[in-house]
Amino acid sequence: MNLELFEHTGPAGGVEPMGKQAFILRGGALAELPQLLHALAGVEAASPFRHMVTPGGRPMSVALTNCGEWGWVSDSRGYRYTRLDPMTGRTWPPMPDVFARLAAHAAAAAGFAGFVPDACLVNRYLPGSRLTLHQDRNEQDFGAPIVSVSLGIPAVFLFGGHQRGDRPARFPLFHGDVAVWGGADRLRYHGIMPLRDGHHPALGAQRINFTLRKAG
Ligand code: MD3
Ligand code: FE
């Protein structure tokens, strides 16, 4: 058996509960990997990764882009969703069908039937990049779940509670993992520990995470 195929990846196929309505589907994106990477390259070509500035004036260590009808942005005025990419002045690139299809299937498997995302935030982490504890609350409808896909170097996901000060649990997220959360867990604080050095055969020295959302 070729262990190289597995050493960057968790055991595929398992469903790991993080909360009442939060799950990791281990390896849930691996079957669609070539299509996902091809679609990502198209998104990135139309709307490149960039480091946005927080309302506090600091550039984020994570670079981001978006696709779909709505894209998440941060600047000195705050966090919000926009229809236009402020870098290109054009609409965000369309949501690839393979993204929407994977999101709907994963959401249904986690108990959220009929999920139709209209926004996809793509985050790129290089070694040292991190995401401090935050809530995702710029979306209109907290009744819809969020689906996330992790690719590349593994990361440690911090899953907190409903107060910023609640001590977070830690879950590793590996290449190909899909996470789904909604309902009672939709507004929990969460973050990503500083990415460790590493190399992934398909993605090199980076981690890409994309989150599918209903923003509008
Ligand atoms: C939140 N992204 O873009 S997604 C974000 O890996 C963001 O880039 C992180 O937080 C990333 O806003 C994490 C994974 C995730 C998984 C389960 C959750 C986020 C969650 C459960 C509850 C709340
Ligand atoms: Fe988040």
Side-chain angles (χ1 to χ4, degrees):
M1 185 160 64
N2 181 2
L3 292 174
E4 156 81 0
L5 284 173
F6 296 98
E7 65 184 0
H8 300 278
T9 307
V15 178
E16 219 174 291
M18 292 189 288
K20 277 201 184 109
Q21 294 185 281
F23 307 90
I24 300 171
L25 314 175
R26 293 290 181 195
L30 290 176
E32 309 273 14
L33 205 60
Q35 296 89 326
L36 293 173
L37 292 177
H38 182 259
L40 268 177
V43 168
E44 193 183 336
S47 278
F49 284 108
R50 82 294 303 264
H51 291 273
M52 289 193 178
V53 172
T54 65
R58 308 162 74 92
M60 296 175 66
S61 66
V62 173
L64 65 84
T65 184
N66 291 278
C67 60
E69 205 178 322
W70 295 98
W72 186 89
V73 302
S74 175
D75 61 20
S76 58
R77 290 147 57 203
Y79 307 125
R80 66 200 173 280
Y81 283 91
T82 65
R83 284 189 182 275
L84 299 183
D85 177 348
M87 182 179 225
T88 65
R90 298 200 303 239
T91 55
W92 298 102
M95 170 101 57
D97 284 343
V98 62
F99 285 21
R101 228 181 321 111
L102 177 62
H105 278 123
F112 302 98
F115 178 48
V116 181
D118 62 10
C120 175
L121 167 57
V122 187
N123 292 325
R124 185 191 66 198
Y125 298 74
L126 302 181
S129 301
R130 64 191 295 231
L131 201 56
T132 56
L133 282 182
H134 66 277
Q135 293 171 299
D136 291 7
R137 49 182 318 147
N138 297 120
E139 299 76 21
Q140 296 284 340
D141 175 11
F142 299 146
I146 299 180
V147 174
S148 105
V149 177
S150 292
L151 300 173
I153 301 181
V156 177
F157 175 65
L158 300 170
F159 195 30
H162 283 90
Q163 320 256 134
R164 191 183 292 278
D166 294 343
R167 173 191 288 274
R170 294 172 176 223
F171 295 90
L173 289 176
F174 297 101
H175 179 67
D177 287 349
V178 178
V180 182
W181 67 100
D185 294 317
R186 175 63 179 75
L187 289 173
R188 283 172 70 167
Y189 278 88
H190 59 279
I192 295 287
M193 291 281 286
L195 197 74
R196 295 184 44 181
D197 273 316
H199 174 88
H200 186 274
L203 283 112
Q206 61 174 342
R207 169 174 186 264
I208 303 277
N209 177 273
F210 56 94
T211 42
L212 296 130
R213 303 147 183 263
K214 172 129 182 53

